[in-house]
Amino acid sequence: MATGIEVAGLALAVFPIVVKGMENLIETAETFKSWKRYRMVLAEYLQTIKDAGAFFIDTAEQLLEDIIVTKDNLDALRDNPARVVFANPRYEELLKLRLDHNYDSFLRTLQKMFAALESVQKKLGLEQRAGK
């Protein structure tokens, strides 16, 4: 089972891939007149995903700012989250201490979010681009 830090890093890494895939799908939909209504729905979904991604990134930064203490690491968290969160196994211990009895709930929520992102990623045909 993946740790909270690992799932958070994976989710942070997958959000931009899903957003780019949705943007590409919307661009493709624009070339077909019959897809106009789908383009509008896809644009709404894209905005929802972007909003959720922004909220998650802000939450992750606030949660991890005392754990991943250097500014360089926090900047790298935005640019390459998988590299940062896997860099130090102590991060997981600190996260568990910080969340205390809420850790299991946090982990379940992250796992559900990541599963949803993976589902969208697969539907968009983006599995290979995400390093799978």
Side-chain angles (χ1 to χ4, degrees):
M1 182 163 120
T3 67
I5 289 286
E6 290 169 340
V7 177
L10 292 170
L12 287 167
V14 171
F15 263 112
I17 294 168
V18 170
V19 166
K20 186 64 176 166
M22 290 287 293
E23 289 172 343
N24 290 340
L25 185 59
I26 291 169
E27 286 177 24
T28 300
E30 288 177 0
T31 64
F32 300 103
K33 286 184 181 182
S34 62
W35 283 25
K36 183 177 182 177
R37 67 177 176 203
Y38 299 114
R39 185 179 69 236
M40 293 168 60
V41 171
L42 289 171
E44 288 177 26
Y45 286 146
L46 174 60
Q47 190 57 53
T48 299
I49 290 171
K50 283 182 173 181
D51 292 347
F55 179 77
F56 179 66
I57 289 167
D58 287 347
T59 301
E61 286 177 357
Q62 289 176 20
L63 182 64
L64 299 173
E65 71 183 348
D66 294 338
I67 294 171
I68 302 173
V69 292
T70 69
K71 181 174 175 1
D72 289 341
N73 278 352
L74 284 172
D75 289 343
L77 180 66
R78 286 183 214 100
D79 299 334
N80 188 354
R83 180 179 63 87
V84 173
V85 298
F86 296 126
N88 188 338
R90 175 112 170 94
Y91 294 162
E92 185 66 21
E93 295 170 33
L94 295 170
L95 181 62
K96 283 181 180 180
L97 286 171
R98 178 171 220 163
L99 292 173
D100 194 26
H101 63 280
N102 293 315
Y103 177 81
D104 290 336
S105 177
F106 170 77
L107 183 58
R108 280 191 304 276
T109 300
L110 278 180
Q111 288 168 335
K112 288 178 186 177
M113 182 181 64
F114 183 65
L117 284 169
E118 274 189 319
S119 175
V120 172
Q121 184 181 6
K122 286 177 185 172
K123 288 177 183 176
L124 293 172
L126 301 170
E127 299 97 340
Q128 297 301 339
R129 294 183 207 162
K132 289 198 171 194

